[in-house]
Amino acid sequence: YFSLLSNKITGEVPIFPTQIQYLDLGSNKLEGTLPEFFSDYRNLGVMYLDHNDFHGTIPDGYGTMGNKKLQTLYLNNNNLNGTLPLTFSGVWILTIRTEGNDITIDDKTCKLLVLTGNGELLELGADCGKCDCDDLCDGDKCY
């Protein structure tokens, strides 16, 4: 368990031990692209990288974090763009938050995750203008 929530940390994300299970770096001033090395973290169950200044796309390997058993991933309120990688299909993730970015979540991803039984997604936070999961939208958010 490692939390540096709201510590005004700046710069890029340092490398942490690969055995880590919980990582909270939310509400800091971290910047750069999302680190690829998290893709190799097989024990990671919860990761908060929200409310920072990350830019670029979500690495494809993030769909394999936690040996495809990642429970929570918060990437909301950064400067990310692109599409949620299809590597998230088949992941038994409970919560993923991407709102406050320029991330598109296409209908195919929603169907792979939720409707086919190939994954389990209990909460999807996304900006509805960027979310094609029509059945999951309510007002200005996707759930």
Side-chain angles (χ1 to χ4, degrees):
Y1 182 94
F2 194 79
S3 177
L4 291 172
L5 174 68
S6 298
N7 273 285
K8 300 180 184 175
I9 299 169
T10 61
E12 295 188 358
V13 176
I15 295 176
F16 293 92
T18 58
Q19 300 85 358
I20 198 162
Q21 297 175 356
Y22 179 103
L23 180 61
D24 189 349
L25 298 174
S27 298
N28 283 291
K29 297 180 184 204
L30 295 167
E31 58 190 13
T33 58
L34 292 173
E36 295 272 349
F37 59 78
F38 283 132
S39 301
D40 297 325
Y41 284 46
R42 298 291 178 218
N43 296 316
L44 195 60
V46 175
M47 186 163 74
Y48 295 95
L49 297 176
D50 57 295
H51 294 89
N52 280 289
D53 196 24
F54 293 112
H55 63 272
T57 60
I58 300 171
D60 286 340
Y62 274 40
T64 62
M65 285 189 298
N67 203 23
K68 288 197 158 204
K69 296 197 184 306
L70 185 69
Q71 296 172 3
T72 302
L73 178 61
Y74 276 43
L75 299 173
N76 52 299
N77 299 93
N78 281 286
N79 292 307
L80 301 170
N81 60 46
T83 302
L84 185 69
L86 288 177
T87 54
F88 279 94
S89 64
V91 174
W92 296 94
I93 193 167
L94 300 179
T95 302
I96 185 165
R97 304 287 302 267
T98 63
E99 67 270 21
N101 291 292
D102 191 15
I103 299 291
T104 300
I105 301 173
D106 63 25
D107 189 52
K108 183 176 181 180
T109 301
C110 291
K111 288 178 182 174
L112 285 171
L113 286 171
V114 180
L115 303 177
T116 65
N118 290 331
E120 182 172 331
L121 183 64
L122 297 183
E123 180 182 350
L124 170 64
D127 296 313
C128 264
K130 295 291 179 182
C131 181
D132 291 333
C133 307
D134 295 331
D135 295 337
L136 302 176
C137 287
D138 179 23
D140 64 344
K141 300 288 181 201
C142 276
Y143 297 96

